[in-house]
């Protein structure tokens, strides 16, 4: 069961984009080999060249284990060289922890994720509970109707802020998701539930990524 998630956006030092991407690829291998309680780990890159890590855990102990693990230690040791503003200001200051409300996990041996999306949603005053219930129920809809949406998660950031993180087989999977039933329901209720409505509260908060490395079940150790 996925219960916890962490997102960390960061930017490479000038001229270090390729080395940082290589570092994250090696990080995926280390996570797979040394962190059994890190359920999913994604290294991400945006079109503007910035990076991010998104990972999921079964509990708080799994998250603590991850931040005490080999990948975090290596990133700490190399941050001054690879990451703009270094470890404290470039990595730690950007950490966002969340609770997992609901999710669709990838089917075993499904296609590999190449694209990802992260969306932050701020609830209108007094509307946190209905927004939360919409997001909880959406996981089942995604599972039933979106085969190219591999991992779909709804997240609670705090008492009034929520998020969605999902991964896709390719761009066509992402396009299908944004024209699917969950997106339609979110659009229908956005003005009532979300600060800024659909255009300013949802679409302007969408972050698209390329998945450049990952550690997921069965990825590295196929039977």
């Amino acid at each position: 069961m996925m219960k916890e998630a962490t997102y960390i956006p960061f930017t490479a030092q000038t001229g270090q984009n390729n080395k940082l991407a290589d570092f994250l690829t090696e990080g995926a291998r280390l996570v797979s080999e040394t962190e059994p309680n890190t359920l999913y780990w994604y290294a991400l890159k945006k079109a503007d060249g910035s990076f991010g890590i998104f990972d999921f855990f079964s509990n708080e102990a799994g998250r603590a284990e991850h931040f005490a693990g080999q990948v975090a230690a290596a990133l700490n040791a190399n941050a001054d060289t690879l990451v703009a503003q270094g470890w404290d200001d470039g990595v730690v200051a950007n950490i966002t922890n969340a609770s997992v409300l609901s999710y669709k996990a990838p089917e075993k041996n499904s296609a590999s994720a190449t694209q990802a999306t992260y969306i932050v949603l701020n609830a209108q005053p007094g509307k946190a509970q209905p927004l939360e219930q919409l997001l909880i129920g959406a996981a089942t809809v995604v599972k039933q109707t979106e085969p190219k949406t591999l991992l779909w998660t709804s997240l609670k950031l705090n008492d009034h802020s929520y998020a969605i993180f999902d991964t896709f087989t390719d761009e066509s999977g992402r396009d299908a998701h944004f024209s699917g039933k969950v997106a339609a329901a979110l659009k229908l209720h956005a003005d009532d539930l979300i600060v800024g409505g659909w255009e300013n509260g949802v679409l302007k908060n969408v972050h698209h990524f390329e998945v450049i490395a990952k550690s997921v079940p069965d990825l590295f150790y196929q039977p």
Side-chain angles (χ1 to χ4, degrees):
M1 294 288 290
M2 286 193 295
K3 294 292 187 181
E4 305 294 334
T6 295
Y7 171 52
I8 314 172
F10 47 89
T11 303
Q13 289 277 22
T14 302
Q16 297 297 311
N17 288 57
N18 291 339
K19 288 185 178 180
L20 181 54
D22 290 343
F23 175 90
L24 293 171
T25 299
E26 174 64 11
R29 184 188 66 79
L30 283 175
V31 169
S32 179
E33 291 179 351
T34 66
E35 297 186 17
N37 293 314
T38 300
L39 304 179
Y40 295 89
W41 185 95
Y42 296 94
L44 311 168
K45 186 175 182 179
K46 293 179 74 172
D48 65 6
S50 61
F51 293 85
I53 294 171
F54 225 113
D55 35 21
F56 295 87
F57 313 97
S58 56
N59 49 39
E60 283 282 1
R63 180 188 279 136
E65 179 184 286
H66 172 67
F67 279 100
Q70 293 185 33
V71 174
L75 186 56
N76 189 348
N78 291 278
D80 286 345
T81 300
L82 297 178
V83 180
Q85 297 182 288
W87 174 252
D88 288 331
D89 294 330
V91 179
V92 175
N94 296 329
I95 293 173
T96 296
N97 292 326
S99 300
V100 178
L101 295 174
S102 64
Y103 63 90
K104 173 207 172 183
E107 298 292 332
K108 187 175 182 180
N109 298 322
S110 62
S112 184
T114 68
Q115 306 295 319
T117 294
Y118 179 55
I119 312 171
V120 175
L121 308 169
N122 294 304
Q124 292 275 16
K127 297 295 184 176
Q129 191 61 29
L131 177 57
E132 186 169 318
Q133 291 305 309
L134 187 155
L135 293 173
I136 289 172
T140 299
V141 178
V142 172
K143 184 174 183 179
Q144 293 173 343
T145 63
E146 297 185 17
K148 290 187 174 183
T149 301
L150 300 177
L151 175 69
W152 186 94
T153 62
S154 66
L155 309 171
K156 186 171 185 176
L157 309 182
N158 54 49
D159 288 342
H160 56 82
S161 296
Y162 298 84
I164 296 169
F165 176 79
D166 34 19
T167 68
F168 310 96
T169 55
D170 50 30
E171 287 284 1
S172 69
R174 179 152 50 204
D175 291 343
H177 173 67
F178 277 93
S179 62
K181 292 183 177 181
V182 170
L186 197 58
K187 184 176 182 179
L188 178 65
H189 297 286
D191 287 344
D192 180 49
L193 298 181
I194 299 168
V195 174
W198 176 250
E199 294 291 336
N200 294 312
V202 180
L203 295 184
K204 282 192 175 181
N205 291 326
V206 172
H207 301 272
H208 293 314
F209 301 92
E210 173 191 358
V211 178
I212 61 172
K214 50 195 168 291
S215 173
V216 302
D218 299 320
L219 179 61
F220 291 98
Y221 301 107
Q222 296 285 358

